[in-house]
Amino acid sequence: MSTPAALETFERFLRQKGLRVTGQRKAIFEAALSQKEHFTAEQLLERVRALDPGGRVSRATVYRTLPVLTESALLREVDIGTGEMFYMPNVGKVAQVAQVVCLDCDRIFEISAPFMEWYGSTVSTRLGLTPVSQRLQVSARCDTLKRTGTCRYRDQAGPRRKARLTG
Amino acid sequence: MSTPAALETFERFLRQKGLRVTGQRKAIFEAALSQKEHFTAEQLLERVRALDPGGRVSRATVYRTLPVLTESALLREVDIGTGEMFYMPNVGKVAQVAQVVCLDCDRIFEISAPFMEWYGSTVSTRLGLTPVSQRLQVSARCDTLKRTGTCRYRDQAGPRRKARLTG
DNA sequence: CTGCCTGCAAACTCTTTGCACGAAT
DNA sequence: ATTCGTGCAAAGAGTTTGCAGGCAG
C-alpha cells in the first residue's frame, strides 16, 4: 500500500506539470507503489487490474503513465538489458545503487555504490561532459544452485535473450 | 582492414567449434574488424555489402554470425540501453571498460574501469554469487554543445527511446 | 465546453526463426 | 553425400502511436 502522502506528492506533481489527475493515473500510481520488488510494465498492468477489478485501465495508459512516475521520482527505471524495462518504487533517498542480476534465478539485487557518482563526474569531466546518470550492473551466477541444484531465490521475469552457441 | 592473423584466428575458432568456414562468415568478419567505432547489426550489414557488392549476405546471417564473433572474443558486445546492441572490435586485451554515452551527440566513449572487477566480486560474493560480468555506464551531456551550440562529435546511431515529458 | 486522456488496435524496431535450397566438408 | 548454413519472409517481444470518443478542469 502506498501512503496518502505519496499520493499527494503525485497529484501535486501532476498539477504542477499541467497534467490531469485521472482515475487511471491514480490507480496506476497505487499499483506501482504497492510493489515490493522490481516489476515490468506488464506486471504493473496485472497489478492495477487485480487491485481494481472494476476499473478500466489499458496497457497503453500504463505505458504512458510510467514516464510520468519516473520523472516525478516516485519510480526508478532499471534497465538490466533483457529487452524489457524494470521499475522500482523509489523509497527513501535516491542513493546511487547498482544492480546485481543473478543469471540463474533472474533476481535483481540492489546494492549501494556510492563511488559511482564520483567516478562518473571524474571521467565525464575529462571528456568535456557533464554526467547525468550512471549505471553499474553485475551479472552473476548462483553458488547455491551450482552446489545443491536449487536456487534459494525464484521469481521475476527472465531475460529474453537466449543462450548462444551453447555447444 | 583486418589482419590475416585475425582471420586465421577466426577460422581456427570456427573449425574448433565444428562450424563451417563460409564466405558469408568471412565477409562479415572482415567488415566487423574493419570498423573503427561501435556499430550496430544494421550498420555491419551495410558495411558487409559495401565491401563486397557482389556477395550475397543477408541480415539474418549477420545476426546469426554476431554471437559467433563475440564468443570468439573478436568482438565485444556493448549494451547502452537504447534498444539496439552495439559491437566493437576487441583490439588488444579484454580490459575492464566502461562506457560514457553523450546524450547530445550519441557518441560512445570507452574508458578503463579497472576497479569494476574487484567491485563485482566483492558484492557478488556477499550475496552468494559468482560474478560473470559487469557493466558501468555513464550518461552525460556535452558542455561544448551547451556553450557554443555545437557538439564537436557527431556520428553513431541515436537512442531509440524518445524524450519524455519534455514540457 | 475545450482539450487533454484513454482504449483499441495497428504500427514499429530490433531480433529471432521455420522452411526449403545451397554449399562446405 | 551429408549436414550445416543461408536467404527470405514471417513471427516475436516490448513499446509506441493514430484516431475517435470520454472525462477532467
Side-chain angles (χ1 to χ4, degrees):
Chain A
M1 294 303 129
S2 68
T3 68
L7 178 57
E8 272 178 40
T9 301
F10 182 51
E11 295 194 6
R12 202 173 309 123
F13 178 83
L14 288 178
R15 278 190 265 268
Q16 172 187 316
K17 282 280 179 180
L19 301 173
R20 293 180 179 173
V21 180
T22 67
Q24 287 91 332
R25 283 177 175 159
K26 285 193 285 189
I28 293 169
F29 164 83
E30 288 290 347
L33 274 279
S34 77
Q35 301 277 26
K36 300 282 174 286
E37 291 282 349
H38 295 80
F39 58 92
T40 62
E42 197 61 36
Q43 293 171 332
L44 177 56
L45 177 62
E46 286 171 25
R47 191 132 178 81
V48 170
R49 291 181 170 165
L51 289 181
D52 183 12
R56 311 274 85 251
V57 175
S58 71
R59 177 170 290 102
T61 299
V62 168
Y63 275 103
R64 283 191 272 236
T65 303
L66 278 169
V68 178
L69 288 167
T70 58
E71 308 223 8
S72 66
L74 289 164
L75 288 188
R76 195 152 35 82
E77 257 189 353
V78 179
D79 178 2
I80 62 168
T82 54
E84 61 210 325
M85 190 65 80
F86 285 85
Y87 297 87
M88 178 85 172
N90 209 357
V91 290
K93 58 198 62 191
V94 194
Q96 289 292 343
V97 291
Q99 284 84 36
V100 180
V101 180
C102 176
L103 298 172
D104 293 318
C105 68
D106 298 322
R107 200 184 163 90
I108 307 171
F109 302 92
E110 300 220 323
I111 51 183
S112 80
F115 67 89
M116 239 174 27
E117 189 160 18
W118 161 80
Y119 190 75
S121 53
T122 300
V123 171
S124 297
T125 304
R126 203 176 305 161
L127 291 168
L129 303 170
T130 301
V132 172
S133 66
Q134 37 259 321
R135 295 157 57 196
L136 173 60
Q137 186 192 119
V138 181
S139 298
R141 294 231 167 256
C142 181
D143 295 337
T144 315
L145 177 70
K146 199 174 289 180
R147 284 201 312 274
T148 68
T150 356
C151 183
R152 54 185 153 154
Y153 307 110
R154 53 160 55 267
D155 67 277
Q156 224 77 334
R160 184 195 61 177
R161 227 166 287 286
K162 305 296 185 305
R164 296 167 161 176
L165 207 70
T166 321
Chain B
M1 295 298 133
S2 68
T3 67
L7 178 56
E8 272 178 40
T9 301
F10 182 51
E11 295 196 5
R12 202 173 308 125
F13 178 84
L14 288 177
R15 278 190 263 270
Q16 171 188 316
K17 282 279 181 183
L19 301 173
R20 293 179 178 173
V21 179
T22 66
Q24 287 90 332
R25 282 178 176 159
K26 287 193 285 189
I28 293 169
F29 164 84
E30 289 290 347
L33 273 280
S34 76
Q35 301 276 27
K36 300 281 174 286
E37 290 282 349
H38 295 80
F39 58 93
T40 62
E42 198 60 35
Q43 293 170 332
L44 177 56
L45 177 61
E46 284 171 25
R47 191 132 178 80
V48 169
R49 292 181 170 165
L51 289 181
D52 183 13
R56 306 283 77 254
V57 175
S58 70
R59 176 171 291 100
T61 298
V62 168
Y63 275 105
R64 283 191 272 236
T65 302
L66 279 169
V68 178
L69 289 167
T70 58
E71 309 225 7
S72 67
L74 289 164
L75 288 188
R76 195 153 36 82
E77 256 188 357
V78 178
D79 178 4
I80 62 166
T82 54
E84 61 210 327
M85 190 64 79
F86 285 85
Y87 296 87
M88 178 84 173
N90 208 357
V91 291
K93 56 200 61 189
V94 193
Q96 289 291 344
V97 291
Q99 284 84 37
V100 180
V101 180
C102 177
L103 299 172
D104 293 318
C105 67
D106 298 322
R107 199 183 162 91
I108 306 170
F109 301 93
E110 299 220 323
I111 51 183
S112 80
F115 67 88
M116 238 174 28
E117 189 159 18
W118 162 80
Y119 191 76
S121 54
T122 301
V123 171
S124 298
T125 304
R126 203 175 304 161
L127 291 168
L129 304 170
T130 302
V132 172
S133 65
Q134 37 259 319
R135 295 158 55 195
L136 174 60
Q137 186 191 119
V138 180
S139 297
R141 294 231 168 257
C142 182
D143 295 337
T144 314
L145 177 71
K146 199 173 289 179
R147 284 201 313 273
T148 69
T150 356
C151 184
R152 52 184 153 155
Y153 307 110
R154 53 161 52 267
D155 66 278
Q156 223 76 335
R160 184 194 61 177
R161 227 166 287 287
K162 307 296 186 304
R164 297 165 161 177
L165 207 70
T166 321

